Amino acid sequence: MSGETEAVSLSGTPTTAELAAVSNEEETRILSDAIRSLPPQAVKDLLNSEVCIACILRLFGFREHFHFRSSISSSMLHSVLGESEHLEHYGILAGSKSGEELEVQQIVCRMCLGILQYLYRNDKGILVQKLSADGLAASIDEMIKQDGHEIDGFSLELSVPPVLLEHDNAVWSYMKKRYGQEVGIAEETSKCVSVKDALKLAITYPIENMLDVKSSSIPSSFRIRLTYSQTKPSSSMAKSPGETNGSCKRRKTGMLTLLVSCSFCFCFFAADVNGVPVRSSNFSGDQKSSEPCNFPLEKVNEPYYLALVCCRTPIYIGGRYLKFSRNVSQTRWIIDDERKGESSVEEIIGSSILPACQGDSYKFHAAGREDIDVRMLGSGRPFMVEVQNARRVPSEAIIKETETKINSLEEKLVAVKNLKLEVNNGWGLMHEGESEKQKQYCSLVWISRTLEDEDVQTITASKDMKVLQRTPIRVLHRRSPLEREKIIHWMKVERVAGSSQYFLLHLCTQAGTYIKEFVHGDFGRTNPSIGSILGCRAEILQLDVTDVKMDGF
Amino acid sequence: MADHTVQESNDPEKQGKPEFLLPVEDEGELRKLLVPDPENLPATPSSAVETNFVSYFAPDFTKPGHDQYVYRHANGLCVVGLAPGHLAFKDEGGITAVDFNVGKSDRSGMKVTGKRKKNAQHFESNTAICKVNTKADSYIVRCCVKGSLLEVNDRLIKQPGLLNSSADREGYVAIMMPRPADWLKVKASLMSGEEYAKLREVRVLN
C-alpha cells in the first residue's frame, strides 16, 4: 500500500446538491478508498484499541467524509483489511446506515467516547444509540416540534469536553512515532479533525434536511445546542413559567471538572500488536520530552451524557409607550403582597407581546421611568420588551396586530406606538435615553400668592438654569445621599384661566432631574426651586411627561 | 377630532367610539389633556409635606418648652425640627445662630455615603444634634427618634433665620432613619398634629 491518499472527488464543503448527487455506492467507494490509503497495521492498531472508524478517518484528516450518510460496514472492512482477518478481534465498528447490519455497538470509542458513534446517555441517564446522524436529527426535530417552535434557520452549537483534544493529541503523537514514515506524517502539525468539527460536518446537513431549513452563516436566533459531558446535566432544563426568569442559560456541565481530572491520561508505553516495542526515537527532531505517550487510551465503559437544548435567544420588540393613567406604575409594584396601583405598563404591554411571540417569559426595559401618578404623553417613552425563548419570531403583520390590540384595550390606560422587532438589541439606546436625553414636562403649579407678570417674565427668561438637588427625601431610603447638579433648559408659563395662583409650567430638563422637588423645593434641599425663585411657597399638583427627546425609536 | 386613528379598519364596532385610541401627537389633543378645569382646583391645595408625610409632635422633649416635630415619610425616613410652640421662638429677635458642634463632634461634618448609608451614626432619641441660640438663651435640639442620622441641615449655619421664617420646611434640622422596631417604640410617645395644636393653641399647618 502506498502512503498516498487517493484523491477524493469532493473538495471544500459540498453543497446539498453535490451531496445528493453522490450515490450510496459512490460514498462507500470513497470511504473504502480512504481506509485503504492508510497503513493497514495502523488501522488495525486503532481498531484494536477501540477507536471507531469515524475517529480513524478524522485522525488522518479526512474531512469531507463526514458529510456522508453511509459508513463502513463490516464487509467493507473485510475487503479493506483482508479476508483472513477476524473482525471480532477488532473491538469496534461504526454503525451503518439504518436497516443494515449493525455490529458491536456496545463498545464505546475511546477517542470520542461515543459522540461520533451517535451513542450517548440522555438526560435520564438512559443509553441511546442512533444508527446515524439522521437518527439524531430526528430526535432534534421531534424536540423542536414538540415545543412548538417555528423556525426558518438555526445555529448549531456543540460543546464537548476538552479532554477529547488531549485524546487526539495522544493518539496522534503515537501514530506519528509509530507509523510516521509510512503515512507521510513526518510533519508535526496534526491534520486531525477535532470531534467537534467532525460532528458538525456530520450532522448539519441531516438536521437541515429534517427541519427543512438551512443553517445560516449569520448566527440565527434559534439555537440547537448539543452539550456532551462527563457528568449528568442538571435537570433544570425545564423552562420556568414565571416572568422573572426563564432565559436560556449556557450549561457548563462537567467541563471544568474534566479539565482538572486527567485520570484518562496516564503514561505507559504500549507495545504494538506484534509485540515489537514502540520505537522511542523522534522523527521530526522535536524533543518534547514531557509529551506523554498515552496510547492506548483508557477503556471507556459509558459514553457521554448528551444534553440537547433547542431554544431561541431573546428577541426584542420595541416601541414607545404612553401612559394616560395616574394610577398605573411602570413596572409591577407589589409591597407586602399588595399591588400598588391598578396595573403596570410592563404588564399591559408584555401580556400582549408574549403570546404574539409564544415565548416563555419577558423582561421590560425603558429609557427612564416616571412615577405612578405621572402621565406619559406626547411622543411617548421608548421601551423594549425582551422575550425569552419565543416559539416564533412575529411577522410585521402580527406585530401590527399586537399594537392594535394594546391600543384597543377597554381601559385606556396605556398605548403603544411604532411597535417593531428590534434587530440590534438597542441596549445602548435605552440606557442613553435614560441618562442623557432631555425630557419635557408639563406641571400644574400652585403658589401661595398671586402670579404676577414679572414672575412669568422671570421664569420664561431663564435658560439652562443650574439646579442643585440633594437626593429627594422620597427616594433617599434607597439612593445614595448626593448633591446632583441638573440643568433646566427652558421654562414656559401658561396661566390657567380663572385662577390667579395656579399655572401650567412647561419645562425641558436634563435627564435625571426631579421635577416635583424642583417645584416645591423639598425642604429647601433643591436649590433653586420655583418657590425660591418666586419667593413664596410653591406646590405641584400634577405632572405629565410630554416628550422624551430620543430618535430612532 | 383626532387627525389619526388606529382603526383604519372597517370594523363597525369601533367606528362609533368617540375617544382617541391612539397616542397623542396632535398638539390640540395634548393640550386638552393638560389644561385643568379651574372648577376643580382647590383654593389652597395640600402641601407636599401634608401629602407625603405624617406629622408627629413631641412637646417638652427632655425639657419643658422644647417642642419638636417629626415628619415621617412613607419610606420610613423622619424629618425633625422645631415645632411652633418651641421656646426659642418666644425670645426676642428669634433664633440668631445655629451650631452643630455639640460636644463630642460637629454634626455638620459627617458624610454619609452609599445606598446602605454607611458611616451614618446611630443615635438615641435624646442625642443632641445642634444648639440654637437666641439673644437670651440657647437650646439643644435632639434627634427625637432613635436611628441613623442621615443628614443635617447645614444651611442653618449661614441662614439661621430659616428657623424663624419656616421651621417646618426650609428650617428643618435633620433627617433620621429609624429601624422599624425603634420607630414603633417612639411613635407611642408622640402626639398628632391635631392634639399638639390644641395643646399649644397654635396652628400646625404644614
Side-chain angles (χ1 to χ4, degrees):
Chain A
M1 253 332 136
S2 76
E4 293 163 27
T5 54
E6 195 156 353
V8 286
S9 55
L10 295 168
S11 59
T13 316
T15 62
T16 47
E18 284 171 8
L19 281 173
V22 181
S23 66
N24 285 347
E25 291 79 27
E26 274 284 302
E27 286 187 358
T28 309
R29 184 185 62 77
I30 295 171
L31 282 171
S32 308
D33 290 346
I35 297 283
R36 235 185 289 260
S37 69
L38 302 171
Q41 202 51 50
V43 176
K44 287 180 200 172
D45 207 348
L46 289 170
L47 286 176
N48 217 40
S49 323
E50 298 186 348
V51 174
C52 70
I53 296 283
C55 285
I56 294 175
L57 286 174
R58 70 181 180 85
L59 185 66
F60 291 102
F62 292 98
R63 285 188 84 86
E64 291 69 34
H65 302 66
F66 285 95
H67 293 291
F68 292 156
R69 315 285 277 283
S70 330
S71 191
I72 305 275
S73 64
S74 55
S75 50
M76 225 191 287
L77 262 187
H78 268 294
S79 63
V80 170
L81 300 174
E83 286 287 345
S84 59
E85 300 288 347
H86 294 285
L87 288 179
E88 309 84 65
H89 286 156
Y90 299 110
I92 198 159
L93 286 172
S96 52
K97 208 154 181 245
S98 53
E100 290 183 12
E101 68 241 66
L102 187 63
E103 305 199 4
V104 195
Q105 67 271 50
Q106 302 301 342
I107 296 187
V108 183
C109 168
R110 293 190 191 182
M111 269 189 91
C112 68
L113 273 92
I115 294 178
L116 294 174
Q117 298 169 284
Y118 305 111
L119 183 64
Y120 57 89
R121 282 180 284 175
N122 66 11
D123 53 0
K124 294 182 183 57
I126 298 172
L127 199 67
V128 178
Q129 164 88 75
K130 299 287 176 192
L131 298 179
S132 66
D134 287 328
L136 190 55
S139 291
I140 293 174
D141 182 43
E142 192 184 312
M143 186 180 244
I144 291 173
K145 292 209 161 54
Q146 214 164 49
D147 208 14
H149 279 283
E150 284 173 29
I151 59 176
D152 56 1
F154 65 91
S155 278
L156 195 59
E157 288 176 2
L158 303 175
S159 176
V160 300
V163 71
L164 294 182
L165 274 178
E166 292 172 42
H167 290 181
D168 288 356
N169 288 338
V171 178
W172 175 258
S173 56
Y174 174 76
M175 284 290 121
K176 197 168 75 173
K177 288 188 164 85
R178 187 96 162 82
Y179 300 100
Q181 284 176 338
E182 296 171 62
V183 196
I185 50 173
E187 73 269 25
E188 297 152 48
T189 43
S190 161
K191 292 189 292 181
C192 179
V193 179
S194 71
V195 177
K196 209 152 88 162
D197 287 347
L199 185 63
K200 193 155 197 170
L201 288 167
I203 65 175
T204 300
Y205 176 65
I207 296 178
E208 284 182 348
N209 199 36
M210 186 76 55
L211 301 178
D212 203 16
V213 288
K214 295 221 77 69
S215 159
S216 52
S217 47
I218 20 155
S220 161
S221 66
F222 190 76
R223 299 290 152 91
I224 298 179
R225 197 174 296 141
L226 278 71
T227 309
Y228 289 90
S229 61
Q230 171 86 344
T231 55
K232 195 169 185 190
S234 51
S235 55
S236 50
M237 286 297 170
K239 299 143 220 135
S240 41
E243 275 158 3
T244 43
N245 56 12
S247 54
C248 253
K249 291 190 168 57
R250 282 188 177 279
R251 305 259 159 222
K252 286 194 155 63
T253 43
M255 286 312 160
L256 296 173
T257 53
L258 280 173
L259 263 173
V260 213
S261 75
C262 283
S263 54
F264 270 73
C265 306
F266 54 89
C267 208
F268 70 83
F269 283 76
D272 78 337
V273 272
N274 294 329
V276 175
V278 173
R279 282 168 288 168
S280 56
S281 62
N282 35 323
F283 290 131
S284 48
D286 171 32
Q287 288 276 9
K288 277 209 202 142
S289 52
S290 57
E291 201 176 79
C293 195
N294 299 331
F295 193 83
L297 301 169
E298 198 180 274
K299 170 125 182 100
V300 180
N301 295 313
E302 301 262 313
Y304 281 136
Y305 282 99
L306 170 59
L308 256 177
V309 176
C310 300
C311 70
R312 195 181 294 278
T313 53
I315 60 171
Y316 300 85
I317 313 267
R320 283 194 184 235
Y321 75 82
L322 288 100
K323 181 161 87 84
F324 301 115
S325 164
R326 295 197 188 280
N327 196 21
V328 169
S329 55
Q330 192 195 61
T331 53
R332 280 171 93 216
W333 190 4
I334 306 204
I335 295 189
D336 297 333
D337 292 335
E338 243 188 83
R339 176 196 282 283
K340 289 261 174 185
E342 210 176 309
S343 181
S344 69
V345 176
E346 169 185 65
E347 287 166 286
I348 293 174
I349 296 178
S351 63
S352 287
I353 290 184
L354 190 65
C357 303
Q358 288 163 21
D360 283 344
S361 62
Y362 64 87
K363 285 187 196 158
F364 181 82
H365 311 280
R369 56 200 167 172
E370 64 282 330
D371 291 343
I372 187 171
D373 59 347
V374 173
R375 292 185 299 186
M376 180 68 235
L377 307 173
S379 49
R381 185 182 298 277
F383 73 90
M384 254 184 359
V385 175
E386 177 189 330
V387 182
Q388 325 290 25
N389 203 15
R391 301 303 189 285
R392 66 169 175 189
V393 179
S395 63
E396 224 175 280
I398 292 181
I399 293 183
K400 198 82 192 97
E401 217 175 271
T402 310
E403 183 173 325
T404 307
K405 177 180 165 198
I406 295 173
N407 293 338
S408 318
L409 288 172
E410 174 110 20
E411 298 192 315
K412 306 266 171 275
L413 303 172
V414 167
V416 292
K417 288 161 60 165
N418 306 341
L419 204 59
K420 67 188 206 292
L421 189 68
E422 296 292 332
V423 254
N424 311 310
N425 65 27
W427 278 127
L429 282 178
M430 288 289 111
H431 192 65
E432 218 179 278
E434 177 161 13
S435 56
E436 288 173 27
K437 302 300 179 185
Q438 293 179 13
K439 318 282 187 330
Q440 201 172 305
Y441 303 87
C442 175
S443 55
L444 179 58
V445 178
W446 173 91
I447 50 172
S448 52
R449 60 167 174 76
T450 304
L451 182 72
E452 309 290 350
D453 286 334
E454 319 180 286
D455 301 323
V456 179
Q457 293 283 15
T458 314
I459 293 175
T460 319
S462 65
K463 294 274 173 271
D464 293 327
M465 175 187 349
K466 289 209 181 108
V467 166
L468 270 175
Q469 297 197 290
R470 286 199 188 176
T471 306
I473 296 178
R474 61 184 169 99
V475 299
L476 186 55
H477 64 295
R478 59 177 171 82
R479 290 198 73 183
S480 302
L482 286 176
E483 197 154 46
R484 299 176 180 87
E485 187 185 273
K486 295 290 168 189
I487 299 182
I488 312 285
H489 295 290
W490 53 257
M491 290 189 279
K492 268 195 333 229
V493 172
E494 195 182 319
R495 286 179 180 273
V496 170
S499 168
S500 58
Q501 287 173 268
Y502 282 97
F503 61 95
L504 279 176
L505 178 68
H506 297 266
L507 58 163
C508 176
T509 73
Q510 183 182 358
T513 311
Y514 287 92
I515 308 299
K516 293 176 181 173
E517 277 70 17
F518 172 65
V519 174
H520 63 62
D522 192 32
F523 290 90
R525 299 165 72 256
T526 288
N527 238 305
S529 65
I530 292 290
S532 72
I533 293 171
L534 298 181
C536 61
R537 192 155 67 92
E539 302 290 350
I540 180 168
L541 271 83
Q542 62 189 41
L543 181 61
D544 297 318
V545 188
T546 50
D547 196 8
V548 174
K549 299 188 188 304
M550 212 168 112
D551 305 315
F553 248 83
Chain B
M1 251 283 275
D3 291 330
H4 27 210
T5 57
V6 113
Q7 305 298 23
E8 312 267 25
S9 70
N10 297 321
D11 188 346
E13 285 182 338
K14 301 290 182 200
Q15 274 168 358
K17 296 246 160 138
E19 69 258 36
F20 60 85
L21 296 163
L22 232 217
V24 179
E25 254 167 341
D26 182 357
E27 271 296 315
E29 279 304 311
L30 181 56
R31 289 200 52 71
K32 277 190 204 153
L33 285 176
L34 296 176
V35 176
D37 178 5
E39 309 279 298
N40 288 333
L41 299 175
T44 307
S46 49
S47 69
V49 180
E50 275 175 314
T51 316
N52 301 313
F53 294 81
V54 181
S55 319
Y56 298 91
F57 291 85
D60 306 318
F61 190 71
T62 70
K63 259 175 121 174
H66 286 55
D67 292 358
Q68 292 186 216
Y69 67 72
V70 176
Y71 296 155
R72 186 173 187 272
H73 192 276
N75 62 20
L77 297 187
C78 297
V79 181
V80 300
L82 299 183
H86 198 283
L87 281 178
F89 298 124
K90 300 206 168 74
D91 288 357
E92 201 186 310
I95 293 164
T96 52
V98 176
D99 187 6
F100 285 97
N101 204 336
V102 280
K104 285 195 192 152
S105 55
D106 190 340
R107 302 282 184 244
S108 63
M110 55 135 223
K111 276 261 171 290
V112 177
T113 53
K115 287 184 191 175
R116 302 270 170 235
K117 317 297 182 287
K118 294 192 301 184
N119 36 284
Q121 292 176 288
H122 297 273
F123 291 138
E124 298 297 321
S125 58
N126 60 2
T127 309
I129 302 178
C130 66
K131 222 173 3 182
V132 298
N133 299 317
T134 61
K135 278 198 200 138
D137 220 333
S138 82
Y139 309 83
I140 305 269
V141 183
R142 301 177 191 273
C143 291
C144 235
V145 169
K146 175 179 174 185
S148 308
L149 178 63
L150 294 190
E151 181 182 301
V152 299
N153 189 1
D154 49 10
R155 241 165 279 116
L156 293 175
I157 300 174
K158 289 220 173 104
Q159 299 176 275
L162 287 173
L163 279 164
N164 297 319
S165 58
S166 42
D168 62 342
R169 285 170 62 109
E170 286 80 10
Y172 78 100
V173 172
I175 303 179
M176 301 288 301
M177 184 166 78
R179 284 208 203 96
D182 292 332
W183 165 252
L184 287 175
K185 279 192 212 137
V186 75
K187 183 180 172 186
S189 57
L190 300 171
M191 64 169 55
S192 72
E194 216 179 290
E195 292 170 301
Y196 180 77
K198 236 189 249 176
L199 180 69
R200 291 288 190 244
E201 284 164 14
V202 287
R203 296 187 73 197
V204 283
L205 199 71
N206 291 328

